Amino acid sequence: MDSIIELQRQNHEELERFERGLSSLLSRNQPTHEAKLQTEHKASQILDRIQSRALTLNSLYQDEDARKAEINSLSAPAQANDLSEFYSRLVKIQEHHAKYPDSVPGGFDLEIAALLDEPNQEEEEYEEEDPVSLLFSGEESYGKYVDLYAHHTAYTNLKNIGKRPGYLQYLDLLLAAQFDPVHNNLPKETRFSKDYEIYIQNLYAYLLSFAKRTQPLVDVDTQQQEAEADFNKLWEARELSGWEENKSQVSANGNGSAGIWCAACTYLLLAIVIIGSRPAMKGQKQYAKQTVYDAHLTSKKHIKAAARQDVTGAPPPNPNGTPTPTTAPTITKSSVSARIRNSARLTHLVTSLLVSVISTMNDTKSNVERRFSLTAREREQELLDQAKPPPPPPTATNGPEEEEEEEERIYNPLKLPLGWDGKPIPYWLYKLHGLGVEYRCEICSDHVYMGRKNFDRHFQESRHAFGMRALGLPNTKHFHEITRIEDALALAEKLKQEGRHEIFEQETMEELEDDEGNVYNRKTYEDLKKQGLI
């Protein structure tokens, strides 16, 4: 239909139905992380459709001429029995249905039903692939964790970063962004390099994509625009820490390296190259320190170069006949400054993105630590458990059955642990086993164990074993009952000294007899045997 009034009515109806559908979608109970993320992505799609309908309505209302013409055509005609407009529109409708006899009238109903359809609501012969799961890699685990292994490799390949950090240390460096700008501890020659710009650009692209995939209802683009506006203000005011001397340290030689160079000696080098007494030399005469530059001012070569510059007044001409370009160093210097500004801008934007995903970063660090403490068999079992399909949702029960379940709810005000039958154990058994006594282990990151049995069992579990490996100690029987880090280190040192003493006693107290019946201790016997006296 071509009626503008009908189009406005249709868009208003679709807007209202989309809003009701969005309300019902967000009011559902989402027990798992996967279901919550699926709901947020569907809600984002509905919001996009609402926005497109609103823009269409706005353009229709601004078309005053078409609205006025439509209203005039629908108004009462001059003659009472003039139904020509009605019959002309009826003919158009009949022609449309005659041309498309199999058209489905409920296209919008199918669209909104597909958006509001709950997963696993109907049993189907085939399992439909989840489109949201295709957005994440296996390491990201449906958006629960970040996958920064490639960026960690790129970071460790940067120059002048000191000791190469491991993956956990790299995550700690990124977690420090909630207090200071990210990578603020790197030297300036590293942050001003081209490799750092490529690294920080790839890291920014990944974090921006991850934030959009895991937070579909958050306007990430607007947040980034605000962060970029904040960066522009700080850059103009030169208030960015670590980037203050970025313009003064860029030399005019075009390679963006920091240093001091002498113009007179540069002219002398150019003249020598033009004459042909030496091959072409790249760059200017540079000095790493101010003291070296001051010392060279009194040298014969500099005095000769300064005198030559005073006589000529300009650099020697190009042997090809074209004048020597004077703007090339300035252009190169500006390009280097633009690259440094781009690195600073990306660093500022990455810091703002890391703050928004700080909880995911903490979960990623905990997951990496947990996986380091697992054995190969446990990791394989974990992958098999993840590959299993999720259990189906519980089916709705009838009213009487629900009332019976409510009556069978267990009354447990003391929060007693449950037994094998699913009921709380007796209070006397709870006191007998000492389940109300807390045992804290400093090696397990101050984890609290309830009851002596659980405390004794935890010394052979993965959490305590990981803590002992972090201290560089073996998880042997000697360290049983040791919960403080200081005591564990002291015991390890004591065991080391006792082991040396036992070796010494074995060498001095053990006696051996030669072929003639002479008795020696082990050390004397081995020395005489080496000398060939026995």
Side-chain angles (χ1 to χ4, degrees):
M1 297 181 182
D2 299 330
S3 173
I4 189 172
I5 304 297
E6 174 59 24
L7 290 176
Q8 289 175 346
R9 185 210 61 78
Q10 181 182 357
N11 281 278
H12 276 294
E13 180 188 358
E14 293 178 357
L15 272 176
E16 292 178 0
R17 295 189 62 180
F18 274 133
E19 290 174 356
R20 289 197 299 268
L22 181 62
S23 176
S24 64
L25 184 66
L26 295 178
S27 61
R28 293 175 182 172
N29 183 23
Q30 308 299 335
T32 61
H33 171 78
E34 290 79 4
K36 180 180 178 182
L37 193 58
Q38 291 174 5
T39 302
E40 289 181 355
H41 275 275
K42 288 183 178 180
S44 177
Q45 296 176 11
I46 294 177
L47 287 174
D48 293 339
R49 286 166 171 77
I50 290 177
Q51 184 180 9
S52 64
R53 299 304 195 277
L55 291 175
T56 304
L57 269 177
N58 186 30
S59 62
L60 291 175
Y61 276 111
Q62 289 179 355
D63 193 358
E64 294 291 342
D65 297 336
R67 281 174 52 83
K68 187 175 181 180
E70 180 69 19
I71 292 173
N72 291 333
S73 63
L74 295 177
S75 301
Q79 300 178 3
N81 297 325
D82 189 4
L83 300 177
S84 59
E85 182 67 24
F86 169 76
Y87 284 112
S88 64
R89 299 196 177 207
L90 180 60
V91 169
K92 290 182 180 179
I93 295 174
Q94 292 175 348
E95 290 178 353
H96 174 80
H97 287 283
K99 186 176 181 181
Y100 305 102
D102 299 330
S103 61
V104 180
F108 176 74
D109 295 334
L110 297 176
E111 178 184 4
I112 197 169
L115 290 173
L116 299 180
D117 187 18
E118 296 184 0
N120 299 327
Q121 189 174 8
E122 297 180 358
E123 296 183 359
E124 298 180 355
E125 296 180 357
Y126 63 94
E127 184 179 355
E128 186 177 358
E129 192 171 12
D130 182 13
V132 181
S133 64
L134 301 178
L135 301 176
F136 302 99
S137 63
E139 187 67 27
E140 290 173 338
S141 185
Y142 219 99
K144 295 180 182 178
Y145 315 113
V146 293
D147 184 7
L148 297 174
Y149 283 98
H151 307 286
H152 167 247
T153 304
Y155 177 81
T156 55
N157 289 331
L158 294 177
K159 298 179 181 178
N160 302 324
I161 64 172
K163 186 178 179 181
R164 309 295 177 184
Y167 189 62
L168 280 176
Q169 289 77 17
Y170 177 70
L171 292 178
D172 289 332
L173 292 175
L174 297 182
L175 285 171
Q178 53 185 329
F179 306 108
D180 295 317
V182 64
H183 299 323
N184 197 28
N185 56 343
L186 290 179
K188 291 184 178 179
E189 56 266 20
T190 302
R191 285 184 281 123
F192 293 172
S193 63
K194 182 68 175 178
D195 294 336
Y196 177 80
E197 182 188 14
I198 297 174
Y199 155 73
I200 201 68
Q201 187 172 4
N202 294 334
L203 180 60
Y204 170 71
Y206 172 77
L207 291 176
L208 182 62
S209 171
F210 183 81
K212 289 182 178 180
R213 286 178 287 151
T214 56
Q215 303 172 6
L217 297 181
V218 178
D219 194 355
V220 181
D221 293 332
T222 302
Q223 293 179 354
Q224 290 302 294
Q225 291 175 3
E226 295 175 356
E228 188 164 1
D230 183 31
F231 165 77
N232 292 332
K233 293 179 182 178
L234 294 175
W235 182 266
E236 295 297 332
R238 297 185 179 181
E239 296 178 357
L240 284 175
S241 60
W243 305 88
E244 296 88 353
E245 301 179 2
N246 55 346
K247 295 184 179 180
S248 61
Q249 288 189 353
V250 178
S251 61
N253 56 0
N255 57 6
S257 60
I260 306 169
W261 59 278
C262 179
C265 295
T266 301
Y267 292 154
L268 178 61
L269 289 173
L270 289 174
I272 293 174
V273 171
I274 291 173
I275 293 172
S277 59
R278 287 187 184 180
M281 303 177 69
K282 183 179 180 181
Q284 290 88 355
K285 183 68 174 177
Q286 295 187 7
Y287 302 90
K289 298 181 180 179
Q290 184 68 31
T291 55
V292 180
Y293 173 77
D294 295 338
H296 108 282
L297 294 177
T298 58
S299 63
K300 295 181 179 180
K301 181 181 290 187
H302 175 76
I303 296 174
K304 181 179 178 181
R308 185 183 185 91
Q309 183 181 5
D310 292 339
V311 172
T312 58
N318 194 321
N320 295 329
T322 58
T324 303
T326 58
T327 59
T330 306
I331 297 174
T332 309
K333 182 178 179 180
S334 63
S335 64
V336 173
S337 300
R339 187 184 72 218
I340 295 175
R341 185 183 186 280
N342 187 36
S343 298
R345 180 182 67 86
L346 292 173
T347 303
H348 185 79
L349 296 179
V350 165
T351 303
S352 64
L353 282 174
L354 286 173
V355 172
S356 63
V357 296
I358 199 69
S359 60
T360 308
M361 296 289 295
N362 287 320
D363 295 340
T364 303
K365 182 182 176 182
S366 301
N367 182 57
V368 172
E369 291 177 347
R370 182 188 62 82
R371 292 180 61 185
F372 281 168
S373 63
L374 298 178
T375 62
R377 181 175 297 179
E378 290 173 341
R379 293 178 184 176
E380 292 177 359
Q381 185 63 34
E382 184 180 5
L383 292 176
L384 292 176
D385 294 340
Q386 292 178 357
K388 293 180 180 179
T395 57
T397 57
N398 299 327
E401 294 180 1
E402 292 181 356
E403 293 178 359
E404 292 179 1
E405 290 181 359
E406 292 179 359
E407 292 176 358
E408 293 178 358
R409 287 180 181 175
I410 300 172
Y411 179 69
N412 189 12
L414 297 179
K415 306 298 182 182
L416 299 176
L418 303 180
W420 61 271
D421 55 352
K423 297 181 180 180
I425 64 175
Y427 184 71
W428 64 267
L429 188 61
Y430 174 80
K431 297 293 290 183
L432 178 64
H433 290 286
L435 297 179
V437 182
E438 295 183 355
Y439 294 90
R440 189 179 301 273
C441 182
E442 186 179 355
I443 299 176
C444 299
S445 302
D446 286 337
H447 189 77
V448 177
Y449 297 92
M450 305 301 295
R452 182 70 188 184
K453 188 176 181 180
N454 293 332
F455 175 71
D456 292 338
R457 188 189 302 149
H458 99 278
F459 287 103
Q460 304 302 325
E461 293 178 352
S462 60
R463 183 193 296 270
H464 191 83
F466 178 78
M468 294 294 290
R469 282 199 297 270
L471 296 175
L473 303 176
N475 190 21
T476 59
K477 195 68 175 178
H478 301 86
F479 296 93
H480 195 74
E481 301 287 342
I482 302 298
T483 58
R484 296 182 57 194
I485 297 177
E486 183 179 356
D487 297 342
L489 296 176
L491 179 58
E493 186 65 26
K494 183 178 179 181
L495 291 175
K496 188 184 297 183
Q497 294 177 359
E498 290 179 355
R500 294 173 182 172
H501 183 66
E502 290 177 359
I503 294 173
F504 176 75
E505 288 183 351
Q506 184 179 4
E507 291 179 352
T508 56
M509 300 303 295
E510 187 177 0
E511 295 181 348
L512 299 175
E513 185 179 355
D514 61 359
D515 297 337
E516 298 179 358
N518 300 319
V519 179
Y520 309 95
N521 58 33
R522 173 176 286 276
K523 184 176 181 181
T524 305
Y525 179 82
E526 291 179 353
D527 291 341
L528 293 175
K529 191 173 183 179
K530 289 179 182 178
Q531 296 176 8
L533 300 178
I534 298 179

